[in-house]
Amino acid sequence: MLRYSLRRLIIGVGMLIALSMLIFLLLRLTPGDPIDAYIDPNVPMSPADLANLRRSLGLDQPLPLQYLDWLQNALMGNLGYSIKRLDQPVLGLVLSRIGPTVLLMGSALVIAIIAGIAVGVFSAVRRNSLADLFFSVFALVGISSPAFLSALIGLYIFSVRLHWMPSGGMLTPGEEFSVGDLIHHLILPAALLSIAQAALITRYMRASLLEVLNQDYVRTARAKGVMEFWVITKHALRNALLPIVTLVGSTIGLAIGGAIFIESVFNWPGMGLLLVDAVETRDYPVIMGATLMIGICVIVVNLLTDITYAVVDPRIKVG
């Protein structure tokens, strides 16, 4: 297990370097000159001043040397400073946004797992019924709906029309912090973010449980007179949950993509909102830092998912 984890970790580091190279290259290929993000268009600068600024920022060097310089600083924990917030280091800015994003994604993941497993089990037990058909259609709609569309519809219904939930933010401005106020702001964006994951888990849970219920050991348990409740929960459900472990890990990337839209719509102060603001203002250091941190989170979650799957199912061998 240790050898497997180390090998996956090394592969993950290689993937992070490849990701950083790709993002660095794409940012340089965007229209415009990177130096434009550092200057005030209302303040005239001479060609000599522009050349000095370009030299001080290292933008006069070839692109490979610029990347190697950034990578060397990144390995030492220095991701530079934000262009629009010159007094704030990128690392501190990114770390300050991780907490809200983890809270949002963690809550959405819990909702998705509970709802997806419960609905999937119900649909498998009541297969081909009217309820099964309804949940199947609902799951299909949930998988097909883009995150931004779900966010806008949910915001309009529950905030604008019904006034049940706040329309944005993490806390009520001007009020002291309280857990109840935080939960009140968290419920709607977390529920909307969980829709796609819950729909996927529902489909996989239903299919997996139906397959397990047709196994011989389940028929044997029923033939022995074991109550149907115990047949499902004790004999079938545990084995049916194994594919869900891998599915949850593989949908983290989907959740991160959805979180970017959810945070933008609800003005949730997390990594997604930070990344969107950085793209709009062409804040290159923040884009690189936020992307690198997101990549680290995805790789770590996938590694933990593989290890968890091997622990849950002893039949799985890692080598």
Side-chain angles (χ1 to χ4, degrees), residues 288-302:
M288 289 295 298
T291 304
L292 183 67
M293 189 61 64
I294 291 174
I296 291 174
C297 294
V298 171
I299 290 173
V300 169
V301 169
N302 287 333

Side-chain angles (χ1 to χ4, degrees), residues 47-293:
D49 292 335
L50 286 175
N52 291 331
L53 179 59
R54 188 183 301 275
R55 188 181 307 108
S56 65
L57 295 173
L59 296 177
D60 61 329
Q61 299 179 359
L63 192 59
L65 293 181
Q66 293 182 37
Y67 172 75
L68 291 177
D69 182 60
W70 176 88
L71 181 61
Q72 182 181 2
N73 291 325
L75 292 176
M76 295 185 296
N78 179 18
L79 298 177
Y81 285 81
S82 169
I83 298 176
K84 303 305 177 182
R85 308 174 182 89
L86 296 177
D87 59 334
Q88 293 188 7
V90 173
L91 182 60
L93 190 61
V94 169
L95 292 178
S96 66
R97 298 297 189 98
I98 290 180
T101 296
V102 171
L103 176 63
L104 177 62
M105 291 184 57
S107 302
L109 184 61
V110 171
I111 295 174
I113 292 175
I114 295 175
I117 292 177
V119 175
V121 171
F122 181 84
S123 296
V125 173
R126 303 284 184 177
R127 60 177 175 177
N128 299 327
S129 65
L130 186 61
D132 179 30
L133 177 61
F134 171 79
F135 285 125
S136 297
V137 173
F138 183 80
L140 181 61
V141 173
I143 296 173
S144 306
S145 299
F148 71 90
L149 179 61
S150 301
L152 292 175
I153 293 176
L155 180 66
Y156 177 75
I157 294 176
F158 296 102
S159 296
V160 178
R161 301 295 299 178
L162 300 178
H163 303 287
W164 288 356
M165 297 295 175
S167 59
M170 189 174 174
L171 297 169
T172 302
E175 294 187 4
E176 294 184 0
F177 172 81
S178 67
V179 177
D181 186 38
L182 176 61
I183 294 176
H184 190 211
H185 285 76
L186 176 64
I187 290 176
L188 183 57
L192 294 173
L193 181 58
S194 69
I195 290 177
Q197 284 182 297
L200 279 173
I201 293 175
T202 296
R203 294 289 297 270
Y204 275 80
M205 186 73 243
R206 180 184 182 276
S208 179
L209 187 58
L210 285 176
E211 181 180 355
V212 171
L213 289 176
N214 291 324
Q215 299 296 320
D216 292 337
Y217 67 90
V218 175
R219 297 193 187 96
T220 302
R222 285 171 171 166
K224 291 181 177 179
V226 179
M227 293 179 58
E228 186 67 15
F229 175 80
W230 296 115
V231 169
I232 295 173
T233 57
K234 186 176 180 180
H235 296 276
L237 185 58
R238 181 177 180 180
N239 290 328
L241 284 174
L242 292 176
I244 306 303
V245 175
T246 303
L247 176 66
V248 169
S250 63
T251 57
I252 293 299
L254 174 65
I256 291 176
I260 293 176
F261 294 107
I262 296 293
E263 290 182 3
S264 299
V265 172
F266 287 91
N267 197 30
W268 187 267
M271 290 284 294
L273 185 60
L274 175 66
L275 186 57
V276 171
D277 291 341
V279 171
E280 291 178 349
T281 58
R282 301 187 67 174
D283 197 337
Y284 295 104
V286 175
I287 295 174
M288 289 295 298
T291 304
L292 183 67
M293 189 61 64

